[in-house]
Amino acid sequence: MSGVNGVTKHAGSAPLLTLRNVSRRFVTGRDFLGRVQQSVCAVDNVSIDVEPGTTLGIVGESGSGKSTLGRLALRMIESDAGEIDFSGEDLRRLSPKDLRQLRPQMTMIFQDPYSALNPRWTVGRSIAEPLRINGSSTREETHSAVVDMLARVGLDADAMHRRPAAFSGGQRQRIVIARALITRPRLVFCDEPVSALDVSTRAQVIGLLEDLQRDLGLTYLFVSHDLGIVESVSDRIAVMYLGSVVEIGNAETVAREFRHPYTASLVSAVPAPDPRAQRVRRRIVLSGDPPSPVDPPSGCTFHPRCPLAEPICAREKPPLLIDAAGHGVACHVTQGSTDLIGANLLARMTDAREPGISTTLPVRVPAPDSAPASASMP
Amino acid sequence: MNRTADVAALSIGGLEISLVQGGRPVPVVTGVNLSVNKKEVLGLVGESGSGKSLTSLAATRLLDPRVVRTTAGSVKLFGKELLTLPEAEMRRVRGKEIGIIFQDPMTSLDPAFTIGYQLNCGLRWHTDLTRAAARNRVLELLGLVGIGDPRRRVDQYPHQLSGGTRQRVMIAMAIACEPKVLIADEPTTALDATTQAQILELIASLATTMEMATVITTHDLGVVADVCDRVAVMYAGQIVECATTDELFYRPKHPYTERLLQSLPGVRAGRLQGIPGQPPRSGRFPQGCRFAPRCPYARPGCSADDPELTRVQTDHAARCLREAELELTGVGA
Ligand SMILES: Nc1ncnc2c1ncn2[C@@H]1O[C@H](COP(=O)(O)OP(=O)(O)OP(=O)(O)O)[C@@H](O)[C@H]1O
Ligand SMILES: Nc1ncnc2c1ncn2[C@@H]1O[C@H](COP(=O)(O)OP(=O)(O)O)[C@@H](O)[C@H]1O
Ligand code: SF4
Ligand code: SF4
Ligand SMILES: [Mg+2]
Ligand SMILES: [Mg+2]
């Protein structure tokens, strides 16, 4: 574990949300021999700040801990260690009663608009449900809040009487957004809110989220595996790999002047919707799956897939060092370098790949001889 | 050019697919014309519900005839009509001459059997390989699709694999018999961005090395920018534009294509554009141009006449009444 925390030093208003050295392990049971307990460090010593009215984007491959981090931040699950501060309150120390009072201020939008809504309930009932749980609104207040929310998300008031089946994916996501905002939250955790939607609908829903942020002063934690989308909505971006934040900074900086080799590989995987640019661009296609979080690699957990890895990388975990501009990188090799930034870093990585490892297709044809006998093959 | 090169590997003409449940058949896909040559990769792009999967299923005759049927058109494999082929012969074509990768790898892999067993079954159905030879071929295939340590993976069950590896297994199955045509229906939609890039490069490089004619369907124009030679854009059951990839991206000739391009992050700075409104529900298409209710350039005349798919250049066709007068914006402009 690194000794240096990701404390941002850049100026700005007091953060709405602060995480300090937050970690969470999940016990995933015993291994297949039934002996040792396995556990997964889903979030490992993460520190972030989110300023009010801004969007912190969180990117990373599947399983990197993005959803877990968001759920920890909203205290939907408990953390093992660290501090979580919401609007000056230490969430981890809050009594259940106080937490219940704070709840309406923190909500969540899920990925799948199809399973997020109860198919038997009318849309109006689904949207009003968080108010009912709260128990503080009269019938009339609830009704007018639902009408207002529907208008804000661009749906007709009579949508209230219909059931989810009557709506397309994009419309359902608008309903889900209306439900998430009905309690007038300050912090909204958007977990892959557009991944299940078509490209054209995606752009509509993102535009809606941006409008609502401006009108209602919302703060977003915005999770996606697509750096292109995250860049277009975020003020700041945190890049996660196997539970750790490996790079953090202003959206522009992380997307264009990135310094971490893993960020570089994510950038090179974003489809550039321009065929010529795409063809000349050399992609760093990471070979293989991300390593198992049950048994993470030593040192820098990215080292088995990193073209720039040096001996130290397998031994020591690089700390996340944050500069005066609030740009943080956890990498032994690129940290002190003045030229391993952005396009230069990408070029260096593709060059490093050339001997030995293919940047495109890892074709490895096994020798056809002496295959070990196998019971499951017919 | 010799004569065989003139015959497209796969050509689909005037395809119409209709829902047949209860009452009169309702056409949901009409006027699909496509052709793909050997070594060529064609992207079939459209919003969900536009008819991409139905087209892929119709081409391989896998539609459930109780629900949905091909009601007109032709599907030719090197000039041979497939729609009238006896089912027994079609079964040999499928898998052997046309490889298919379906949208959802979890539904196409049987959770009860190891991936080795499933690959082996497919191989031995179509070839007369011995058991040992088939096993070696399976290991070779797993290596070919970039699965490390094939000897271990071959005995694993689908749930033990990541989404990306499962999709690689699907690709191995589809190419096992070295088909001449490969149809991949949204092969990367369920995957994250990094894995998506890996899988698309894999498919494109296999298409070249194995000299297949390949159709990749997707709802995301951005992902096909570098892997496809040509792109066909589908809207509400019709092809609305078809062109070489560069033509389509830099000089789109259909307003829907223009709007799709503007929906992609990175095409222009600032706010993503999106397309207002919804595509029509299947079978309930508006009169005249089906895009008219959402089209920023629509004129009253657009809802009166049905636009035809018209050639505007060599290898560029568009279905828009105002094509000649509109100045549309491509990427990089
Ligand atoms: N309740 C749980 N029990 C056990 N393991 C869990 C649990 N929740 C998450 N994990 C594990 O923690 C790690 C991080 O998971 P998380 O869902 O946060 O990833 P993610 O970045 O959101 O991925 P995705 O893009 O697939 O949604 C994974 O290895 C996952 O398997
Ligand atoms: N088995 C079916 N029964 C009824 N409607 C169907 C069936 N299959 C497809 N459709 C309809 O046909 C249209 C085209 O579907 P599909 O080819 O799956 O679209 P895509 O693959 O482009 O998302 C959709 O509107 C869909 O609802
Ligand atoms: S610390 Fe080493 S292995 Fe890790 S990202 Fe940097 S160079 Fe690569
Ligand atoms: S025919 Fe008219 S409505 Fe249809 S795409 Fe062209 S301009 Fe738009
Ligand atoms: Mg998640
Ligand atoms: Mg489909």
Side-chain angles (χ1 to χ4, degrees), chain A residues 60-62 166 168 170-171 197-204 206-208 210-211 214 225-229 232 262 265-266 269 271-279 283 285-289 305 359-372 374 376-378, chain B residues 46-48 114 116-117 120 124 131 135-136 138-140 143-144 146 148-151 153-155 162 165 191-194 196-198 201-202 205 219-223 225-226 245-246 249-250 260 263-267 271-278 281 294 331-332:
Chain A
E61 275 168 294
S62 183
S168 69
Q171 289 172 322
L197 304 178
D198 270 321
V199 172
S200 58
T201 320
R202 224 176 243 183
Q204 286 176 24
I206 288 176
L208 173 66
E210 285 174 337
D211 290 346
R214 199 189 48 232
H225 58 74
D226 184 333
L227 186 57
I229 289 176
S232 77
Y262 178 63
S265 74
L266 286 183
D274 182 333
R276 263 175 234 146
Q278 185 78 278
R279 270 177 228 126
R283 273 192 182 165
V285 174
L286 294 178
S287 43
D289 293 333
R305 300 168 90 191
T359 50
T360 52
L361 174 64
V363 182
R364 247 169 302 138
V365 182
D369 56 13
S370 67
S374 157
S376 64
M377 297 277 291
Chain B
E47 281 170 282
S48 91
T114 65
Y117 178 84
N120 206 314
R124 296 186 67 201
R131 185 188 293 186
R135 181 178 166 97
N136 284 335
V138 167
L139 291 173
E140 184 187 27
L144 203 60
D149 199 1
R151 295 232 160 84
R153 297 309 185 108
V154 75
D155 296 325
S162 71
T165 305
L191 304 173
D192 69 40
T194 328
Q196 172 168 295
Q198 292 175 351
E201 291 210 2
L202 172 65
S205 78
H219 69 90
D220 190 346
L221 252 179
V223 312
D226 63 334
T245 304
D246 284 14
F249 276 78
Y250 299 122
L260 267 187
S263 302
L264 299 171
V267 166
R271 221 185 137 96
L272 298 177
Q273 296 288 306
I275 307 179
Q278 303 289 328
R281 301 280 284 279
R294 301 170 81 189
V331 300

